[in-house]
Amino acid sequence: MQRIAGWWDGFELWVAGLPFIPQFLVVLVGMVPISFAIAFLLDRGLRMAFRVLRRDDRIESPIPVTLAERPTVSSGAR
């Protein structure tokens, strides 16, 4: 673990020492794929959890109601 922490500290120092544009590009190249991977894994994990809980995106058709069956709501004003 010390080797990984030492490598990461060196990498951070290297990135922090770069001018702004190369620093931005290095962070962008690293963060965009990682962000997409995290979003993909969250999407798949939540989709499986919703299926287990039976909360997936199946849409049940509404029961049709005719005009005669609808209750009349009045405002109470005369």
Side-chain angles (χ1 to χ4, degrees), residues 16-71:
L18 292 174
F20 177 73
I21 298 297
Q23 189 178 50
F24 174 76
L25 293 175
V26 167
V27 171
L28 190 67
V29 166
M31 290 308 295
V32 168
I34 290 171
S35 298
F36 275 114
I38 290 171
F40 178 79
L41 293 174
L42 277 173
D43 179 58
R44 295 297 173 187
L46 288 171
R47 187 176 296 177
M48 287 184 352
F50 284 146
R51 280 192 189 136
V52 168
L53 296 172
R54 296 180 184 208
R55 306 274 285 175
D56 54 355
D57 48 354
R58 285 180 283 158
I59 299 173
E60 297 177 13
S61 59
I63 300 170
V65 178
T66 62
L67 289 176
E69 295 175 357
R70 290 186 183 174

Side-chain angles (χ1 to χ4, degrees), residues 4-22:
I4 295 172
W7 175 83
W8 184 253
D9 286 342
F11 181 74
E12 283 181 325
L13 287 173
W14 174 73
V15 171
L18 292 174
F20 177 73
I21 298 297

